[in-house]
Amino acid sequence: ERARERERERDRAGGDRWAIGGENDDLTWRTCRICRTWKPPRTHHCSICNRCVLKMDHHCPWVNRCVGWNNYRYFCLYLMWLSLCCVFVLITFFQSFWHDIVKMDARHPTRNFKNRQYIGLSWILCVAILLSMGILGGFHFYLVLTNQTTIEFQGNITKSAIYRAQGVIRRNPFDLGRTRNFQSVFGKSALWFLPWLSFVQGPTGSGTSFQTLGGVI
């Protein structure tokens, strides 16, 4: 009753109205039209794998499987470690690249042509991979901090625009704050970036229920 009264006061004062989720949000168990079975919230059917995937983010053609509840943190860590490896190669090869490629003296080369090719190709590959992984990794880092999947992100843009046209500011029902959102993917361990250690615990839960701003669903 107090919440309703505060909303009425904001309306009278011309303030913004807020909505947590909406009637079209994926907050309940539903029936998959293809599998003909029950599927939990945030679960989607993958037409390539031909099965429902818990908290599905996307289907990755590079590993030929879906990225979802069971392996999303490994996917994010893969992007992070691959980017760091590229940075390591760029730093390690920087002196050789600068002297043997950029400022090369054709009359007195310090390395033969084949070695210069290796250095130049390594730099080009690492720069290209770092740029692509940086953009993709930055996008998924944003998704982690806002507790969204790629599928939900696309849907939330449309839903937020519809609510905004009605003068209502919509909130993502799964957004619990940056810290809790991060822990829901990587767990609470301080060594979250080393998942192969046996004592590093991942996120708790089964992928069939999630904490929301309105409680557990």
Side-chain angles (χ1 to χ4, degrees):
E1 182 64 31
R2 292 180 180 178
R4 294 177 180 176
E5 181 62 27
R6 285 195 297 268
E7 184 174 349
R8 285 194 292 267
E9 291 177 358
R10 283 196 300 269
D11 291 340
R12 288 194 295 267
D16 294 327
R17 290 183 297 157
W18 291 79
I20 300 176
E23 60 181 8
N24 294 324
D25 283 306
D26 188 8
L27 301 178
T28 60
W29 285 65
R30 299 168 299 160
T31 302
C32 178
R33 292 175 296 179
I34 301 176
C35 295
R36 300 297 180 183
T37 58
W38 287 98
K39 62 179 183 179
R42 311 183 80 175
T43 299
H44 296 274
H45 184 90
C46 176
S47 59
I48 301 176
C49 296
N50 195 29
R51 63 185 178 90
C52 289
V53 180
L54 296 175
K55 196 184 176 184
M56 180 179 175
D57 187 87
H58 67 283
H59 181 89
C60 181
W62 305 108
V63 296
N64 194 30
R65 66 177 57 191
C66 284
V67 176
W69 167 260
N70 291 319
N71 58 356
Y72 182 63
R73 71 168 177 149
Y74 298 105
F75 170 77
C76 293
L77 290 174
Y78 162 74
L79 298 179
M80 184 191 77
W81 284 113
L82 180 58
S83 299
L84 291 178
C85 287
C86 290
V87 172
F88 173 78
V89 172
L90 293 177
I91 294 175
T92 304
F93 279 30
F94 176 76
Q95 186 175 3
S96 298
F97 178 79
W98 181 258
H99 290 288
D100 297 330
I101 305 296
V102 179
K103 299 182 65 177
M104 182 193 69
D105 186 352
R107 294 172 298 178
H108 304 286
T110 57
R111 286 182 173 83
N112 59 40
F113 178 73
K114 181 180 291 187
N115 289 337
R116 293 199 304 272
Q117 279 187 319
Y118 293 154
I119 295 173
L121 181 60
S122 298
W123 249 75
I124 293 174
L125 285 177
C126 286
V127 169
I129 294 174
L130 182 59
L131 287 176
S132 58
M133 292 298 101
I135 295 173
L136 182 61
F139 172 68
H140 280 280
F141 183 68
Y142 166 77
L143 294 182
V144 169
L145 294 184
T146 55
N147 206 340
Q148 302 179 82
T149 65
T150 300
I151 297 176
E152 292 170 350
F153 172 77
Q154 296 172 338
N156 287 338
I157 293 178
T158 303
K159 295 172 185 176
S160 296
I162 295 175
Y163 276 88
R164 197 180 302 113
Q166 300 172 356
V168 179
I169 299 177
R170 176 185 176 276
R171 289 195 61 183
N172 174 20
F174 301 105
D175 189 356
L176 306 176
R178 295 179 180 177
T179 300
R180 296 176 66 184
N181 292 341
F182 185 87
Q183 292 175 348
S184 69
V185 176
F186 296 102
K188 299 181 179 180
S189 175
L191 299 176
W192 56 269
F193 51 90
L194 300 174
W196 52 83
L197 298 180
S198 59
F199 56 85
V200 175
Q201 299 295 326
T204 59
S206 60
T208 58
S209 63
F210 300 91
Q211 181 71 40
T212 67
L213 294 172
V216 179
I217 59 172

